[in-house]
């Protein structure tokens, strides 16, 4: 299951009153840690674990503490220090070498579900906002609220969703920016679009597939696509603005169709736009559309993707989505180790 909060809440919401639930939140980290402040996870009395607060090494122990929270109804905080010889994470040889501080809070109707139901409803409408959680000492009063953003949804880089500590008098708060998953539009429903749609779904993105040709974009082959559109290309611009589409990959294998799509996307707020094919084909498509690249909402990625040396559709799809993620996160797409 995808780890984006939207998907976690969609799993939790129908079962919210059928079991006891605890929200786990990373509220502070020191040194290298797999998840950062603002990361959230849900635990149930039936043994369900939705999401991750580490690389998978701490969750079993966190679940044990979550059961205590369910029994007492009181919030608590945990600290895992992988450099402390007396700490569990050090003794088990797990962790990334840093320290992670986690808060566990019971979720129930009596505390308004910690506003998680409100967040879910806002994310369903693709609205962003700010989640405020009071960082409690053990047994202290629990408080959490959500304030929707006044701005029209504009995708932020992942680094901007890391929680921020705030101090108000003797109270400490965690402020986390919450935004919907990336919405990707794939134009062209041929064989090579299948891995792109599938991989994007695994990343937790919302995927819309468009192709007006009856033989293409068949639901049998694109079961993970959230929507399949068959309207005229001229409708795509309106759709992107109405549904807050963040990125688009144009791959119809038809110069005329690609041209119609690019023309329709001119007035959108796309942050990433890719066109499959070599440079000379890009020029043919732009010429057919009677467009200058500067008229598009963002720089056109054509040829599309990073230079991964991929030859198969799966690898090409990975290279395109990698470039897309880097562009949306304002990243340089270089390796951490510097080997490439």
């Amino acid at each position: 299951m995808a780890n984006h909060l939207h998907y976690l809440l969609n799993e939790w919401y129908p079962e919210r009153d059928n079991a006891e639930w605890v929200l786990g939140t990373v509220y502070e980290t020191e040194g290298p840690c797999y998840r950062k402040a603002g990361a959230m996870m849900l635990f149930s009395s039936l043994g369900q674990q939705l999401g991750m607060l580490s690389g998978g090494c701490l969750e079993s122990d966190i679940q044990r503490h979550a059961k205590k929270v369910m029994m007492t109804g009181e919030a608590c905080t945990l600290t895992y220090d992988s450099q402390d010889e007396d700490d569990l994470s050090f003794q088990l040889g797990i962790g990334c070498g840093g320290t992670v501080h986690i808060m566990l809070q019971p979720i129930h109707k009596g505390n308004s579900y910690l506003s998680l139901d409100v967040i879910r409803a806002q994310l369903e409408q693709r609205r962003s906002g700010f989640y405020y959680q009071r960082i409690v000492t053990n047994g202290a009063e629990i408080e959490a609220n959500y304030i929707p953003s006044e701005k029209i949804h504009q995708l932020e880089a992942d680094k901007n969703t890391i929680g921020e500590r705030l101090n108000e008098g003797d109270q400490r708060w965690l402020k986390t920016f919450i935004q919907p998953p990336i919405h990707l539009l794939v134009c062209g429903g041929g064989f090579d679009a299948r891995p792109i749609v599938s991989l994007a779904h695994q990343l937790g993105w919302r995927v819309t597939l468009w192709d007006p040709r009856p033989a293409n974009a068949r639901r049998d082959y694109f079961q993970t696509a959230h929507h399949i559109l068959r309207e005229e290309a001229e409708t795509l611009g309106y759709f992107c603005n109405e549904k807050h589409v963040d990125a688009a990959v144009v791959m119809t294998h038809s110069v005329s169709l690609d041209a119609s799509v690019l023309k329709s996307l001119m007035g959108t707020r796309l942050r990433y736009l890719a066109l499959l094919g070599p440079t000379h084909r890009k020029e043919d498509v732009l010429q057919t559309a009677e467009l200058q690249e500067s008229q598009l909402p963002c720089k056109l990625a054509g040829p599309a993707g990073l230079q991964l040396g991929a030859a198969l559709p799966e690898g090409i799809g990975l290279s395109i989505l990698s470039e897309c993620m880097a562009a949306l996160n304002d990243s340089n797409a270089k390796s951490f180790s510097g080997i490439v």
Side-chain angles (χ1 to χ4, degrees):
M1 183 185 70
N3 286 283
H4 193 284
L5 183 61
H6 188 197
Y7 294 96
L8 307 188
L9 295 181
N10 278 342
E11 289 287 320
W12 159 77
Y13 188 76
E15 304 296 327
R16 64 193 182 283
D17 296 320
N18 296 333
E20 294 181 83
W21 289 90
V22 166
L23 172 65
T25 306
V26 175
Y27 67 88
E28 186 177 4
T29 63
E30 301 158 31
C33 297
Y34 187 79
R35 301 298 307 275
K36 306 300 181 184
M40 286 177 256
M41 182 174 181
L42 297 164
F43 301 87
S44 85
S45 56
L46 300 179
Q48 295 163 284
Q49 295 185 7
L50 307 179
M52 297 175 69
L53 292 179
S54 74
C57 45
L58 301 177
E59 279 70 13
S60 294
D61 190 65
I62 299 171
Q63 172 84 45
R64 182 172 62 85
H65 288 280
K67 289 180 180 178
K68 295 180 183 179
V69 172
M70 295 173 194
M71 292 175 59
T72 63
E74 296 181 348
C76 75
T77 56
L78 308 171
T79 297
Y80 294 94
D81 185 350
S82 56
Q83 293 186 326
D84 184 350
E85 294 183 6
D86 295 324
D87 192 87
L88 174 67
S89 58
F90 179 90
Q91 295 170 10
L92 295 179
I94 57 182
C96 300
T99 301
V100 58
H101 302 273
I102 295 170
M103 177 170 60
L104 298 179
Q105 302 168 278
I107 311 167
H108 49 72
K109 189 175 183 179
N111 61 19
S112 300
Y113 302 109
L114 300 178
S115 295
L116 295 178
D117 55 337
V118 177
I119 295 175
R120 175 185 171 274
Q122 290 290 307
L123 291 177
E124 283 290 305
Q125 298 175 27
R126 298 199 59 76
R127 290 198 63 187
S128 304
F130 296 92
Y131 189 38
Y132 292 84
Q133 295 170 271
R134 183 180 174 186
I135 302 172
V136 300
T137 53
N138 293 1
E141 182 181 356
I142 299 167
E143 191 172 351
N145 55 76
Y146 181 77
I147 301 178
S149 173
E150 295 179 357
K151 297 180 181 179
I152 297 175
H153 171 61
Q154 174 89 28
L155 188 73
E156 296 284 348
D158 282 349
K159 63 183 178 181
N160 294 327
T161 65
I162 296 175
E164 174 188 1
R165 287 276 302 278
L166 302 174
N167 293 319
E168 291 187 2
D170 60 350
Q171 296 182 2
R172 297 183 301 161
W173 292 80
L174 178 69
K175 174 186 177 183
T176 306
F177 178 65
I178 306 292
Q179 64 181 353
I182 292 169
H183 190 173
L184 174 69
L185 171 66
V186 178
C187 298
F191 180 86
D192 55 346
R194 297 182 198 177
I196 290 183
V197 172
S198 179
L199 287 170
H201 174 76
Q202 286 184 295
L203 289 170
W205 299 3
R206 179 172 292 273
V207 185
T208 295
L209 180 65
W210 172 86
D211 199 314
R213 297 166 293 191
N216 288 24
R218 295 172 57 185
R219 176 57 76 177
D220 290 348
Y221 300 125
F222 294 97
Q223 296 186 19
T224 56
H226 290 84
H227 301 287
I228 294 180
L229 306 177
R230 297 195 179 279
E231 290 83 358
E232 295 297 320
E234 290 72 18
T235 65
L236 291 177
Y238 175 81
F239 176 86
C240 287
N241 288 331
E242 181 74 13
K243 301 298 182 181
H244 306 299
V245 176
D246 305 297
V249 178
V250 183
M251 49 187 310
T252 70
H253 297 282
S254 163
V255 170
S256 60
L257 274 180
D258 284 356
S260 297
V261 171
L262 291 187
K263 204 162 186 177
S264 180
L265 298 179
M266 278 198 312
T268 63
R269 296 183 293 271
L270 291 174
R271 292 268 307 281
Y272 175 81
L273 177 58
L275 178 65
L276 201 68
T279 301
H280 70 81
R281 187 180 185 280
K282 177 181 73 171
E283 294 169 353
D284 290 343
V285 172
L286 289 171
Q287 185 176 6
T288 302
E290 298 180 335
L291 285 176
Q292 298 294 322
E293 192 171 336
S294 59
Q295 295 177 271
L296 296 172
C298 59
K299 189 172 181 179
L300 182 61
L306 301 179
Q307 297 183 44
L308 302 184
L312 299 177
E314 292 79 6
I316 294 170
L318 176 62
S319 77
I320 294 173
L321 294 183
S322 297
E323 181 182 59
C324 177
M325 180 178 286
L328 295 177
N329 281 320
D330 300 320
S331 173
N332 58 24
K334 293 181 179 179
S335 61
F336 289 107
S337 65
I339 63 169
V340 294

